[in-house]
Amino acid sequence: LRKREEAQALVPADPWARYRLARAYVETGLPEEARALSAEGVHLNPEDADARFAQALLLSILEDRAAALSALSAIPAKQRSESMRTLEQRLHFSAALARVRGAQQHGDLAQARAAMTLVRERAGRDSERLADTVAVWLELGDLAAAKKLADELRTLAPGSIDAEVADGRVARAEGRHNLAMQHWQSARALEVAAHHQGYSPARNGIESLEARRNGGLALAPSYYDKS
């Protein structure tokens, strides 16, 4: 952390040195310091698109979607890169999902399903967001909507990781566990081939089915295990 502070002090106008330091603050439990550091960078360079983009990235890490979108909206359209547009789309999708989650938490299933219209719109043609939308439809108990969207995804990105993941989720919801395992194993093989890092929905699906196969049964005070 001290080295990052020294590096940022050497180039105070560099938004990415500032961003890396802000990330370090977040990782060490200092979110307000990170937020202030990022805001200072924008104050020093109000016309710098990268300064505002770095701020938006940090705010998205802090899950302050509204503030992140506000930072992005201050960047003139002609200065926006593909990465900036991708972040904006992801934030809009996340905000739409939050509306669905809020309705779920209040037990309003009808409102949650109605809010899925915006979720689908925000997902666009992004395969990962479409696969996530399939999962949410299944959480809401609408297998038909999930299957329809999984079919769309398969047509849009046949043989992709996200298409296999979505098909696996639908197959499991239908009780076709062997088929679900096949789809998730295919997705996992693609992830390994692509040197995929981070969270793996395919691996998570495989582990959930393996856990299901190793269930337990309890009767009175005596315990019996069945693999």
Side-chain angles (χ1 to χ4, degrees), residues 29-141:
L30 301 169
E32 293 310 313
E33 285 81 351
R35 191 185 291 265
L37 183 69
S38 183
E40 181 187 47
V42 172
H43 180 73
L44 291 173
N45 302 284
E47 305 302 322
D48 186 354
D50 277 348
R52 293 191 181 277
F53 181 36
Q55 183 186 39
L57 283 170
L58 179 74
L59 291 168
S60 71
I61 291 170
L62 295 173
E63 298 186 0
D64 190 343
R65 288 183 292 270
L69 286 168
S70 178
L72 287 171
S73 68
I75 303 173
K78 62 182 180 181
Q79 295 183 29
R80 295 187 187 185
S81 65
E82 185 62 31
S83 295
M84 294 174 188
R85 288 190 289 271
T86 297
L87 176 60
E88 185 174 40
Q89 292 166 359
R90 181 165 59 82
L91 287 167
H92 279 305
F93 177 73
S94 180
L97 271 183
R99 294 189 183 95
V100 174
R101 301 299 188 201
Q104 279 183 293
Q105 289 175 0
H106 287 89
D108 192 341
L109 190 58
Q111 181 61 36
R113 288 179 173 173
M116 286 298 291
T117 300
L118 182 59
V119 171
R120 175 63 187 89
E121 179 184 328
R122 295 302 191 187
R125 293 172 61 83
D126 182 272
S127 61
E128 183 178 357
R129 291 196 290 267
L130 288 172
D132 288 342
T133 305
V134 168
V136 178
W137 271 127
L138 291 172
E139 289 176 18
L140 295 174

Side-chain angles (χ1 to χ4, degrees), residues 134 138 143 146-147 150 164-184 209:
V134 168
L138 291 172
L143 178 58
K147 287 184 67 174
E164 293 290 347
V165 166
D167 283 338
R169 287 168 172 164
V170 169
R172 177 168 186 179
E174 293 176 322
R176 303 164 71 186
H177 299 108
N178 288 337
L179 179 59
M181 180 65 84
Q182 290 172 21
H183 283 301
W184 284 331
L209 283 183

Side-chain angles (χ1 to χ4, degrees), residues 152-211:
E152 290 181 31
L153 177 52
R154 196 182 316 110
T155 300
L156 176 68
S160 68
I161 293 172
D162 296 315
E164 293 290 347
V165 166
D167 283 338
R169 287 168 172 164
V170 169
R172 177 168 186 179
E174 293 176 322
R176 303 164 71 186
H177 299 108
N178 288 337
L179 179 59
M181 180 65 84
Q182 290 172 21
H183 283 301
W184 284 331
Q185 287 175 335
S186 296
R188 185 59 185 150
L190 291 169
E191 288 177 346
V192 171
H195 304 290
H196 173 83
Q197 300 293 322
Y199 172 72
S200 166
R203 183 171 58 193
N204 184 64
I206 291 169
E207 290 175 353
S208 70
L209 283 183
E210 289 176 343

